[in-house]
Amino acid sequence: KAGVTQTPRYLIKTRGQQVTLSCSPISGHRSVSWYQQTPGQGLQFLFEYFSETQRNKGNFPGRFSGRQFSNSRSEMNVSTLELGDSALYLCASSFGGRGADTQYFGPGTRLTVL
Amino acid sequence: QKEVEQNSGPLSVPEGAIASLNCTYSDRVSQSFFWYRQYSGKSPELIMSIYSNGDKEDGRFTAQLNKASQYVSLLIRDSQPSDSATYLCAVELNTGNQFYFGTGTSLTVIP
């Protein structure tokens, strides 16, 4: 079974620009979660989508948004990029059932903001 | 207080020794707990999940959960240099499908 895929793998942007990242979950998985990973803060939860609806949300500003399509693929958008947005962005997929759900991570998108 | 706390390390053990990694969590009613391994420059990969109090063994890995103490640990027996990585503890909040991660413990196994 194919794993979680993320595109692109690397991105370089400048401050003020916006960026869209894509995540395709494992076949059969309906939940997609997004995380930001930085050396100082570790893995921080951005949001989770299930059946095209945002079900959970972390403590990130509104510049960070996402959506999920009917095939469970998800995109994350960051508008008005700041230097501090430079990070590894990871998505993880799971079946999405309540309780005892296991997440599997994609390879990540490395975003550099100059 | 952070939802999940781990000692950042670094933790160094000689090859063949037992490595012990610890994690505490704040959400008393959390039900699902996970250990992930992350090699430098790679994404986290699942090692083990544990849901009930006690021990769960999988090969050289043993996860231990104590819900009363809000404590979960990972033991790696017969540590190998290939085990050198950052180990992340994750807890699924009781609300479901929202996972919090510790900042990870860096482990180095010395040949």
Side-chain angles (χ1 to χ4, degrees):
Chain A
K1 182 184 280 190
V4 180
T5 59
Q6 291 186 246
T7 57
R9 294 293 310 278
Y10 302 92
L11 266 178
I12 299 176
K13 294 285 188 180
T14 56
R15 280 180 298 174
Q17 287 187 308
Q18 74 166 14
V19 67
T20 299
L21 313 181
S22 180
C23 173
S24 292
I26 291 170
S27 178
H29 285 188
R30 296 171 64 192
S31 171
V32 173
S33 296
W34 288 89
Y35 296 87
Q36 180 194 68
Q37 188 174 36
T38 57
Q41 297 296 320
L43 260 172
Q44 293 193 287
F45 174 75
L46 281 153
F47 30 65
E48 183 238 356
Y49 284 86
F50 179 81
S51 291
E52 303 179 63
T53 300
Q54 187 181 87
R55 190 164 58 172
N56 291 294
K57 188 178 189 304
N59 296 320
F60 276 80
R63 299 187 297 108
F64 292 82
S65 62
R67 59 177 175 168
Q68 187 179 34
F69 302 95
S70 58
N71 61 357
S72 295
R73 188 178 70 85
S74 177
E75 288 182 346
M76 189 191 89
N77 185 77
V78 188
S79 63
T80 319
L81 284 166
E82 300 177 359
L83 295 178
D85 296 333
S86 294
L88 178 66
Y89 289 88
L90 293 159
C91 81
S93 78
S94 66
F95 286 110
R98 292 294 187 183
D101 200 25
T102 302
Q103 292 193 325
Y104 297 89
F105 283 86
T109 295
R110 174 76 62 185
L111 172 64
T112 301
V113 182
L114 303 176
Chain B
Q1 181 187 3
K2 291 188 175 181
E3 288 83 2
V4 181
E5 299 212 45
Q6 297 179 251
N7 287 330
S8 60
L11 174 66
S12 294
V13 300
E15 184 175 355
I18 296 175
S20 177
L21 307 164
N22 304 312
C23 171
T24 58
Y25 59 94
S26 61
D27 182 10
R28 181 170 293 278
V29 294
S30 292
Q31 297 294 322
S32 305
F33 309 87
F34 307 86
W35 283 99
Y36 288 82
R37 176 176 62 198
Q38 187 174 25
Y39 292 113
S40 180
K42 302 293 186 182
S43 62
E45 58 178 323
L46 180 70
I47 298 175
M48 292 189 69
S49 58
I50 186 167
Y51 308 105
S52 304
N53 277 329
D55 295 359
K56 179 181 178 182
E57 187 175 316
D58 184 0
R60 295 186 296 111
F61 299 95
T62 299
Q64 299 174 318
L65 175 61
N66 183 326
K67 290 185 180 179
S69 300
Q70 295 174 239
Y71 175 92
V72 58
S73 65
L74 179 70
L75 300 178
I76 307 175
R77 291 182 301 280
D78 188 24
S79 295
Q80 301 297 309
S82 59
D83 294 327
S84 298
T86 296
Y87 289 81
L88 301 169
C89 171
V91 175
E92 183 181 10
L93 298 188
N94 191 51
T95 49
N97 306 106
Q98 187 166 352
F99 297 78
Y100 278 93
F101 285 76
T103 51
T105 298
S106 175
L107 171 67
T108 300
V109 180
I110 303 167

